[in-house]
Amino acid sequence: MKEWWLQLSKREKQSLVMGSVVLLGAMIYFLGWVPFSNKIDSLRQQLIHDQALLVWMRSTDAKLKAFANPSPQASLGNHSILGLIQTSIQKSELHKNVTQLRQLENASVQIFFHKVSFDLLMGWVIQICQQQHLIVKQITITPDDAMGVVSAELVLTR
């Protein structure tokens, strides 16, 4: 190898040295810098995603805590639970699907729905539970032949 190097002309030696330097620089760039840079970009994107997730989780946590610990002003007062549910159903599109509504105990109401939209029913249940601080004590849902349509029995309580 030493003989071969000594036999090369000055111009060939310079070309080989320059080519080696360029090759070494390219290797350092493509095998070291590019993966490192890509990893940093990936970590930045992950950080942005995780920060957005944290903001969402904190807001959801606050909503859940507010739902779990209702304020004293949000009590039902002198209104009966049956009256509140009847009023709420009459204001919604569900009134035509209610087959039976009855008071079970002083603080529980049983409602039977027939051929009602599942999405509409669940939206109403969530809304009344949040607004009136009611609890779903029991729910039985039976799918109908039509897509998204169900029959349901629901017991709400204070």
Side-chain angles (χ1 to χ4, degrees):
M1 179 90 152
K2 193 174 188 179
E3 287 178 25
W4 173 78
W5 180 257
L6 294 174
Q7 290 178 355
L8 295 175
S9 68
K10 184 177 180 182
R11 179 175 264 178
E12 290 173 332
K13 289 179 185 178
Q14 287 176 343
S15 294
L16 282 173
V17 168
M18 292 289 273
S20 298
V21 168
V22 169
L23 182 63
L24 181 63
M27 286 176 59
I28 289 172
Y29 178 77
F30 288 110
L31 296 177
W33 182 256
V34 170
F36 178 72
S37 178
N38 289 344
K39 184 65 176 178
I40 288 175
D41 290 342
S42 170
L43 290 173
R44 282 186 182 138
Q45 291 298 322
Q46 184 67 37
L47 178 64
I48 291 169
H49 174 266
D50 289 349
Q51 287 172 336
L53 182 62
L54 179 62
V55 168
W56 176 82
M57 289 175 75
R58 284 183 176 160
S59 70
T60 303
D61 181 51
K63 289 176 187 176
L64 288 173
K65 285 180 181 175
F67 183 69
N69 302 319
S71 64
Q73 299 115 343
S75 67
L76 293 172
N78 294 333
H79 294 69
S80 73
I81 187 172
L82 181 62
L84 289 170
I85 291 173
Q86 282 178 327
T87 304
S88 178
I89 288 174
Q90 289 302 320
K91 289 180 182 177
S92 73
E93 297 176 30
L94 296 173
H95 65 278
K96 59 186 175 239
N97 302 98
V98 174
T99 58
Q100 187 177 6
L101 178 67
R102 64 182 171 150
Q103 183 109 22
L104 295 179
E105 302 164 359
N106 189 28
S108 293
V109 173
Q110 186 175 30
I111 314 163
F112 291 89
F113 294 94
H114 183 68
K115 294 194 181 227
V116 65
S117 164
F118 177 78
D119 293 337
L120 185 64
L121 176 65
M122 287 300 106
W124 177 80
V125 169
I126 291 168
Q127 179 185 0
I128 196 164
C129 286
Q130 288 176 344
Q131 289 177 351
Q132 302 301 333
H133 303 288
L134 299 177
I135 298 169
V136 177
K137 188 174 182 180
Q138 176 185 342
I139 189 166
T140 305
I141 297 176
T142 308
D144 199 1
D145 294 334
M147 185 84 145
V149 177
V150 297
S151 292
E153 175 189 341
L154 180 70
V155 177
L156 294 174
T157 188
R158 288 187 186 178

